[in-house]
Amino acid sequence: MDIGINYLTELEEPKNRFDKLYKILLKSRYINTIKFPGKYCDFETLDNFLKLINETGAKPDIHGLPGMVAAIHSKNFVRNVDWEKVKERISECKRISTHIGLENKDRMENYEQGVFENNIKQLKQNLNCEVGIENIPGGFDFDHRTLTPEFITEIWGKADFGVYDISHAKLSAKDLGISYEEYVERLGNKEKVKILHVSGNIDDTGKYEYKPDKHVLINEKEISDVIKLFEQFKNVDLVVSEYAYNTKYSYEKEIVIEVMILNEIIKTKNEQEVRNKLKFLQENLENNLSNLEEIIVLNY
């Protein structure tokens, strides 16, 4: 099973400051895939991403393009995509994924028939790829009808493959007034899901109190639900950590923890062992990663 992580960059120089760390994690085989975009989706970031991919041989996971609106039912979905510039960089890719539904605050009453199918056609014609669709989160004023398990099931059935985001699912269940367990139980076409998106959504520091989908370091309370994903989605070939925002440690330390914990989950599927590893890394990995080599040796 492939393991990936968001491609994170900064607005200030050096914008690609995490590339060195990604190279270490790739060389140490904790990850073999990098996902674009992470936080920023512009051509400069895409160029840095592709440079890293070419230098390391990592697998690219494309989840959006510069100018793309992450809402495949929207008539604006690829309206602002400069296909000429995109195809100069990406002549073709194995697959691309994006989000189900309309844009924030839009409603299904405004949906125009055929837009969804035309948007998929545009991606296929320009990139010669499979198209996957991800369930969207609650908490952002998306039309609740597009959050339902039934709607997700229908769209997964029409797509080449599905993407399941556990934090999105929990937030959608909350908006719909049902339990997360009921949400998962009502999902169909689970066999079409090829990619799992995992990220922490519990921030004990309160730093992101008002951000519904937090994309922070995994919390020990979330480990059990992540382990259970592999019982529900049996055809997954890629698990991606969408970690993007730090809380109490440095970005570098939290990236390493997130990746090592994801590996432990996939390797052992044992909640207590994963909890023990999380505690060990939090207590022993230096914030500046000065002992990273030692930690890597201990974790082999």
Side-chain angles (χ1 to χ4, degrees):
M1 185 178 296
D2 292 331
I3 300 177
I5 192 167
N6 264 343
Y7 182 62
L8 299 184
T9 55
E10 298 283 22
L11 291 175
E12 290 112 21
E13 297 293 346
K15 294 184 178 181
N16 57 339
R17 62 177 261 204
F18 304 114
D19 281 16
K20 183 178 179 181
L21 177 56
Y22 293 142
K23 289 177 181 177
I24 292 171
L25 294 172
L26 286 162
K27 185 176 180 181
S28 302
R29 298 181 184 176
Y30 280 104
I31 56 174
N32 66 352
T33 303
I34 306 287
K35 170 183 160 285
F36 176 87
K39 273 201 267 188
Y40 306 114
C41 189
D42 52 44
F43 280 107
E44 182 182 7
T45 307
L46 178 59
D47 287 341
N48 282 331
F49 166 77
L50 293 172
K51 183 173 182 287
L52 178 65
I53 294 297
N54 290 331
E55 287 178 352
T56 61
K59 295 182 180 182
D61 176 39
I62 307 295
H63 190 56
L65 299 167
M68 178 186 286
V69 173
I72 202 166
H73 287 77
S74 169
K75 59 188 177 183
N76 298 316
F77 177 61
V78 289
R79 177 173 289 176
N80 297 314
V81 172
D82 186 331
W83 285 115
E84 184 176 336
K85 288 180 71 173
V86 167
K87 288 191 283 187
E88 284 175 359
R89 293 159 170 81
I90 307 173
S91 56
E92 64 176 63
C93 60
K94 179 182 176 183
R95 59 191 186 187
I96 188 172
S97 58
T98 189
H99 292 178
I100 284 174
L102 296 164
E103 296 176 61
N104 179 257
K105 301 186 184 300
D106 202 355
R107 293 296 179 262
M108 288 301 291
E109 285 80 7
N110 302 323
Y111 173 67
E112 298 176 11
Q113 291 298 321
V115 169
F116 168 75
E117 290 79 6
N118 183 61
N119 285 337
I120 288 183
K121 182 179 178 181
Q122 290 245 27
L123 291 178
K124 286 180 173 290
Q125 285 181 340
N126 284 285
L127 294 176
N128 186 29
C129 64
E130 292 187 344
V131 178
I133 317 293
E134 176 184 357
N135 57 307
I136 54 176
F140 291 94
D141 196 20
F142 290 120
D143 190 315
H144 280 200
R145 286 166 286 187
T146 65
L147 303 180
T148 65
E150 290 71 26
F151 189 78
I152 305 301
T153 298
E154 177 188 351
I155 303 305
W156 279 350
K158 295 178 179 178
D160 293 312
F161 64 95
V163 181
Y164 180 78
D165 187 303
I166 183 172
S167 294
H168 289 186
K170 289 182 177 182
L171 289 165
S172 291
K174 183 178 179 181
D175 267 12
L176 295 169
I178 61 176
S179 69
Y180 170 69
E181 289 73 20
E182 180 182 343
Y183 179 96
V184 176
E185 182 63 30
R186 282 166 50 184
L187 282 173
N189 287 322
K190 294 177 188 175
E191 73 282 355
K192 293 198 71 172
V193 172
K194 298 292 184 67
I195 301 176
L196 297 179
H197 283 177
V198 176
S199 64
N201 208 42
I202 298 173
D203 172 23
D204 293 328
T205 69
K207 189 174 180 180
Y208 302 107
E209 182 180 357
Y210 301 106
K211 190 174 185 296
D213 191 20
K214 294 178 174 56
H215 290 270
V216 294
L217 184 66
I218 190 170
N219 187 287
E220 64 174 17
K221 299 172 187 175
E222 298 169 305
I223 292 169
S224 176
D225 284 334
V226 174
I227 291 173
K228 291 175 184 175
L229 292 180
F230 300 98
E231 301 169 7
Q232 296 283 343
F233 304 99
K234 299 186 183 298
N235 292 325
V236 168
D237 58 39
L238 171 63
V239 185
V240 178
S241 164
E242 288 200 298
Y243 168 86
Y245 300 96
N246 76 313
T247 51
K248 55 185 177 179
Y249 306 118
S250 70
Y251 267 108
E252 287 81 359
K253 177 172 178 174
E254 292 190 355
I255 288 170
V256 172
I257 292 175
E258 185 80 2
V259 166
M260 288 189 174
I261 290 305
L262 189 53
N263 270 267
E264 193 73 13
I265 286 173
I266 292 170
K267 182 175 70 176
T268 70
K269 296 183 176 63
N270 182 298
E271 184 177 353
Q272 190 55 55
E273 288 188 33
V274 177
R275 283 173 176 264
N276 291 342
K277 179 63 66 68
L278 178 60
K279 182 179 181 182
F280 170 81
L281 292 170
Q282 288 174 328
E283 293 178 353
N284 293 280
L285 180 62
E286 296 293 342
N287 211 41
N288 63 1
L289 300 190
S290 58
N291 64 337
L292 177 58
E293 185 176 341
E294 177 185 348
I295 292 293
I296 288 175
V297 170
L298 288 172
N299 279 271
Y300 270 133

